């Protein structure tokens, strides 16, 4: 059995797993030590398990780097990652395992967007027009009853 591209330790510290092109993926890992627990590091990995740590090295290896200039790379400090690191790790592990099963496959499942799902559920319903009811005219001066005289004894 061939060795997996990512070890169990790598999968445990994984926060973000993004496919850049057919052969390369971007991994964002967190440090496990107490001193560096708020820090993270990035690894670019090929399907041949070649690891690179900087974007400049990746640009030197690739022939066409135009997609890297327009690509939006997700940061480990984005709100959805910082607020839910366990959930981000779970999503990244699933994507990594799918990629490891067939690294040359063109399809990689994207993480689900929670905000988009909420936006679909909350749709604005059209407001029905209520017909106006004509009210009876109000009398300007209402009749006042005269009080009975009070006898003082």
């Amino acid at each position: 059995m061939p060795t997996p591209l990512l070890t169990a330790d790598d999968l445990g510290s994984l926060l973000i797993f993004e496919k850049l092109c057919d052969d390369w993926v971007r991994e964002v890992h967190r440090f496990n030590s107490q001193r560096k627990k708020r820090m993270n590091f990035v690894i670019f990995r090929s399907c041949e398990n070649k690891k690179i740590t900087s974007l400049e090295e990746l640009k030197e290896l690739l022939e066409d780097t135009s997609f890297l200039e327009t690509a939006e790379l997700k940061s480990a400090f984005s709100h959805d990652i910082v607020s839910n690191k366990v959930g981000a790790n779970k999503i990244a592990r699933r994507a990594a395992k799918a990629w490891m099963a067939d690294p040359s496959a063109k399809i990689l499942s994207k993480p689900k967007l929670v905000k988009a799902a909420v936006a679909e559920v909350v749709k604005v319903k059209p407001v029905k027009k209520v017909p106006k009811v004509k009210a009876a005219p109000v009398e300007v001066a209402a009749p006042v009853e005269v009080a009975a005289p009070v006898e003082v004894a």
Side-chain angles (χ1 to χ4, degrees), residues 26-42:
R26 176 178 175 260
E27 306 167 8
V28 179
H29 295 269
R30 63 180 175 208
F31 284 102
N32 293 329
S33 67
Q34 285 294 322
R35 188 173 64 89
K36 295 182 179 181
K37 67 180 177 181
R38 290 189 179 95
M39 300 175 84
N40 56 56
F41 60 97
V42 177

Side-chain angles (χ1 to χ4, degrees), residues 51-120:
K51 298 177 190 176
I52 296 175
T53 57
S54 71
L55 189 59
E56 288 78 25
E57 292 176 16
L58 180 65
K59 286 181 179 180
E60 290 174 5
L61 288 176
L62 293 175
E63 296 169 2
D64 182 27
T65 60
S66 61
F67 69 93
L68 289 175
E69 296 167 4
T70 59
E72 293 184 23
L73 302 176
K74 195 170 196 176
S75 170
F77 297 110
S78 63
H79 177 69
D80 57 336
I81 302 295
V82 173
S83 64
N84 189 7
K85 287 191 178 183
V86 174
N89 178 259
K90 184 178 178 181
I91 292 169
R93 270 190 326 222
R94 283 185 183 168
K97 286 179 181 178
W99 181 75
M100 283 191 302
D102 191 12
S104 61
K106 304 273 187 217
I107 301 171
L108 180 68
S109 62
K110 293 283 182 179
K112 296 177 184 175
L113 296 176
V114 176
K115 292 180 182 177
V118 172
E120 290 176 6

Side-chain angles (χ1 to χ4, degrees), residues 5-7 9-21 23-31 40-58 61 68 73-74 76 92 96 99:
L5 296 173
L6 285 120
T7 63
D9 291 335
D10 288 341
L11 289 173
S13 67
L14 194 61
L15 286 177
I16 299 171
F17 189 86
E18 295 174 322
K19 189 168 183 179
L20 296 177
C21 62
D23 299 332
W24 289 89
V25 293
R26 176 178 175 260
E27 306 167 8
V28 179
H29 295 269
R30 63 180 175 208
F31 284 102
N40 56 56
F41 60 97
V42 177
I43 295 176
F44 297 98
R45 187 185 304 260
S46 71
C47 59
E48 290 94 25
N49 205 18
K50 183 174 183 180
K51 298 177 190 176
I52 296 175
T53 57
S54 71
L55 189 59
E56 288 78 25
E57 292 176 16
L58 180 65
L61 288 176
L68 289 175
L73 302 176
K74 195 170 196 176
W99 181 75

